Amino acid sequence: MKAGIVGLPNVGKSTLFNCLSNAKAQSANFPFCTIEPNIGVVNVPDPRLEKLAELVSPEKVLPATVEIVDIAGLVKGASKGEGLGNQFLANIRETDAILHVLRCFDDDNIVHVDGSVDPLRDKETIDIELQLKDLETVEKKLEKVSRAARTGNKEAVKEKEILDQLKVALESAQNVRSIEFKETDREEFIKPLQLITDKPVLYVCNVDEQSAKEGNAYVAKVKTEVASEQAGLLVLAVSIEADINELDSFEERQLFLEDLGLEEAGAAKLIRSAYNLLNQQTYFTAGEKEVRAWTVPIGATAPQAAGVIHTDFEKGFIRAEVISYQEYEQFGSEQKVKEAGKMRVEGKDYIVKDGDVMHFRFNV
């Protein structure tokens, strides 16, 4: 799973990346500070994992992770290779989801690449560049498919209809993710194109300290603008997150947050939001050697979940022994869950639920 942090130069992307990953990407007050993408593997905060570890006392505790990529800032003309355009667009195409940082604060000491603060203009700048790149992809594909469609090939005729719709939408400045299509058409014709504006997006409104809890007028404008998109939105004071990140102890961090009237660090919310954006959920394995969180897509079957551990587990799947997290916590141990008759035995068709604690039986 890989989420890319994108935005115009100087909106706080690298500072946010540092907060999320504790890696120290270079961040400075000038455009194109980030040229090569920085990559960090970030733990997904989950109190359930901590509780299971407390109950089991394992040798190791391994959380679920998300890969975060800090991608170079984008400028007008990127789709035609301006700035670091081609490199940026190649990097973003490789991600599964987009964290789009928008500057929603005033500060005369931090230069804006366009000379003034306007998150809607900034969003439009990036949207247009991504749409133009997608349009280029669609037109190339359309050229090939049109030739086949002229011969009467039914599959090609159907694909051409979809591509024509995409072309019209992109030319009218629509993101592909907001266009209504049948799920079967999306899977067959659109997903293979790997269009950038089809990726799920979370808009991260970077605000000042005073706006960390309630947002501000800039945020209100962004909320209105993205209401019709299938997108998430999170308000985050990235400068505060950087300050919190510098504190050594958990207690100090909590006191800092309480002073600001915040329940938890925004970085933790963002990581969970990215995880949800990628349509992922967590199941656990719990034993004396390790308690571990595993990542599977929502809707995964028990054999597919087993395959995340090892492909042999999926191939030779026999059954899964399943305890819900709530019942594990309620009874306090696997043995007590068994004694209460609450452990379930599930077969190949079982759809994994978020928080399941699972053991797999398999034969290879």
Side-chain angles (χ1 to χ4, degrees), residues 18-83:
N18 288 338
C19 295
L20 293 175
S21 67
N22 287 325
K24 294 298 175 189
Q26 187 186 4
S27 57
N29 187 19
F30 56 89
F32 303 126
C33 182
T34 305
I35 297 175
E36 290 297 326
N38 296 296
I39 299 173
V41 178
V42 183
N43 293 340
V44 178
D46 196 328
R48 297 173 302 180
L49 182 69
E50 294 166 24
K51 184 64 180 177
L52 285 171
E54 185 187 308
L55 294 171
V56 177
S57 299
E59 292 172 22
K60 288 192 294 186
V61 180
L62 296 168
T65 60
V66 176
E67 202 169 276
I68 303 289
V69 188
D70 174 25
I71 296 169
L74 188 65
V75 293
K76 287 175 186 172
S79 58
K80 304 299 179 192
E82 292 292 326

Side-chain angles (χ1 to χ4, degrees), residues 299-351:
T301 61
Q304 288 169 335
V308 172
I309 299 175
H310 198 288
T311 51
D312 285 350
F313 285 26
E314 183 172 3
K315 288 174 189 169
F317 179 89
I318 299 170
R319 66 178 184 273
E321 295 168 356
V322 184
I323 304 168
S324 73
Y325 168 77
Q326 289 80 4
E327 287 175 338
Y328 204 115
E329 184 184 28
Q330 179 188 343
F331 292 99
S333 72
E334 185 177 311
Q335 186 57 41
K336 286 179 181 174
V337 170
K338 285 180 181 175
E339 289 168 4
K342 296 294 184 180
M343 178 182 277
R344 293 174 281 117
V345 176
E346 302 287 359
K348 291 183 178 180
D349 295 331
Y350 177 69
I351 303 297

